[in-house]
Amino acid sequence: MIEKEAVAIVTGAGSGIGRAAAIAFARAGARVAVIDIDHDAALETAARIRDTEAIALRVDVTVEEQVVEAFDTVLGRWGRIDHLFNNAGIRGGTDEAHRMSSVEFRRVMDLNVAGAFLCQREALKAMYEAQRGTIVNMASIMGFSTGPGAAHYTASKHAVIGLTKAAAFEAAPRGVRVNAVAPGTIETPMNVALAGNEKAMRDRYTPAYPIGRLGRPREVAEAVLWLAGSASSFVTGHTLVLDGGYLLR
Ligand SMILES: NC(=O)c1ccc[n+]([C@@H]2O[C@H](COP(=O)([O-])OP(=O)(O)OC[C@H]3O[C@@H](n4cnc5c(N)ncnc54)[C@H](O)[C@@H]3O)[C@@H](O)[C@H]2O)c1
């Protein structure tokens, strides 16, 4: 359960899973800060939130000053930060490890790991003050497995699981829980763009899923809300896999 009037920050909330989670937090009664590097997309998500308050903030989560300012803005406006869904991330290019440029490797690590670290850090500071709060980080099945052309993405998502465990260990005595979700392929604009169109996306990825279909943003959002809310009050340092059986193969 999410407390009414709780304040949730969702990064990468202008699209896909982040947008679905921002809307789900609002439906559960939370006020939501919609953070995205794409301001128009963030505004669109905020406009879809009608039941509670929402603000859209243009933030590049890899830029420290912007992250600090955004968390200050949320605290200034609502006085509390109860939940962070640390979701912004990219897949990056698909060159194999022996051809991957260091620039591309660092670009993915910078957003998926350092960006998540910065947002997690600012959330922890506010939550330690209040002696309460929850963080859900965005990992992936690539935090457990791998695939072709994914050295950067695989390394980054393994790192997110480590980031989650380290923070959870320190945060537990302070009343703060930190967990992660690890989805398989979800039907989002990112994957439609990668494959070309929706049919191509399903044809390409579905055979790897014993459940016979891909995941939906709403299904990830439900898991995020469970990990963020009081129903999971004894769960911390955990990475919840949502993969339709992908890792069973
Ligand atoms: N879609 C999947 O199949 C899948 C599976 C497992 C994990 N994930 C992870 O879920 C997260 C969201 O994926 P999605 O498919 O919803 O992606 P998406 O591309 O639909 O949305 C990502 C959002 O992040 C924003 N963003 C990009 N760089 C940013 C930055 N520097 N600062 C702030 N915002 C930034 C984008 O503008 C976009 O709105 C990612 O971390 C991804 O690795 C996705």
Side-chain angles (χ1 to χ4, degrees), residues 12 14-18 35-38 59-62 87-90 111 138-140 153 157 183-186 188-191:
S15 175
I17 298 166
I35 283 183
D36 206 287
I37 196 171
D38 179 341
V59 181
D60 179 343
V61 299
T62 66
N87 164 76
I90 39 166
L111 174 51
M138 175 51 91
S140 158
Y153 192 71
K157 294 303 186 180
T185 308
I186 306 298
T188 64
M190 177 180 93
N191 284 323

Side-chain angles (χ1 to χ4, degrees), residues 122-141:
E122 294 310 303
L124 287 172
K125 283 185 202 164
M127 290 173 184
Y128 285 177
E129 279 285 310
Q131 293 277 299
R132 52 176 290 170
T134 64
I135 297 172
V136 180
N137 290 325
M138 175 51 91
S140 158
I141 47 171

Side-chain angles (χ1 to χ4, degrees), residues 182-230:
T185 308
I186 306 298
E187 293 185 345
T188 64
M190 177 180 93
N191 284 323
V192 174
L194 265 176
N197 58 55
E198 282 194 21
K199 183 177 181 309
M201 170 186 70
R202 292 194 183 114
D203 289 349
R204 184 190 293 184
Y205 300 119
T206 306
Y209 287 84
I211 209 163
R213 66 170 177 84
L214 304 179
R216 298 173 185 126
R218 175 82 199 177
E219 292 174 307
V220 182
E222 290 294 342
V224 170
L225 254 69
W226 183 76
L227 285 171
S230 56

Side-chain angles (χ1 to χ4, degrees), residues 72-188:
D72 282 350
T73 300
V74 175
L75 278 173
R77 183 176 172 121
W78 288 319
R80 56 196 273 190
I81 296 170
D82 301 275
H83 309 292
L84 166 66
F85 178 32
N86 215 351
N87 164 76
I90 39 166
R91 167 64 177 78
T94 54
D95 282 342
E96 290 189 318
H98 68 295
R99 291 185 187 281
M100 188 179 290
S101 74
S102 59
V103 170
E104 182 63 358
F105 182 82
R106 289 200 173 98
R107 185 174 79 92
V108 172
M109 294 297 283
D110 196 30
L111 174 51
N112 295 4
V113 186
F117 163 77
L118 288 172
C119 293
Q120 178 178 267
R121 186 188 72 192
E122 294 310 303
L124 287 172
K125 283 185 202 164
M127 290 173 184
Y128 285 177
E129 279 285 310
Q131 293 277 299
R132 52 176 290 170
T134 64
I135 297 172
V136 180
N137 290 325
M138 175 51 91
S140 158
I141 47 171
M142 293 302 155
F144 297 94
S145 178
T146 191
H152 45 9
Y153 192 71
T154 303
S156 75
K157 294 303 186 180
H158 277 69
V160 167
I161 293 173
L163 200 64
T164 303
K165 288 180 182 171
F169 184 71
E170 293 173 358
R174 292 153 155 139
V176 175
R177 296 185 298 111
V178 188
N179 291 290
V181 285
T185 308
I186 306 298
E187 293 185 345
T188 64

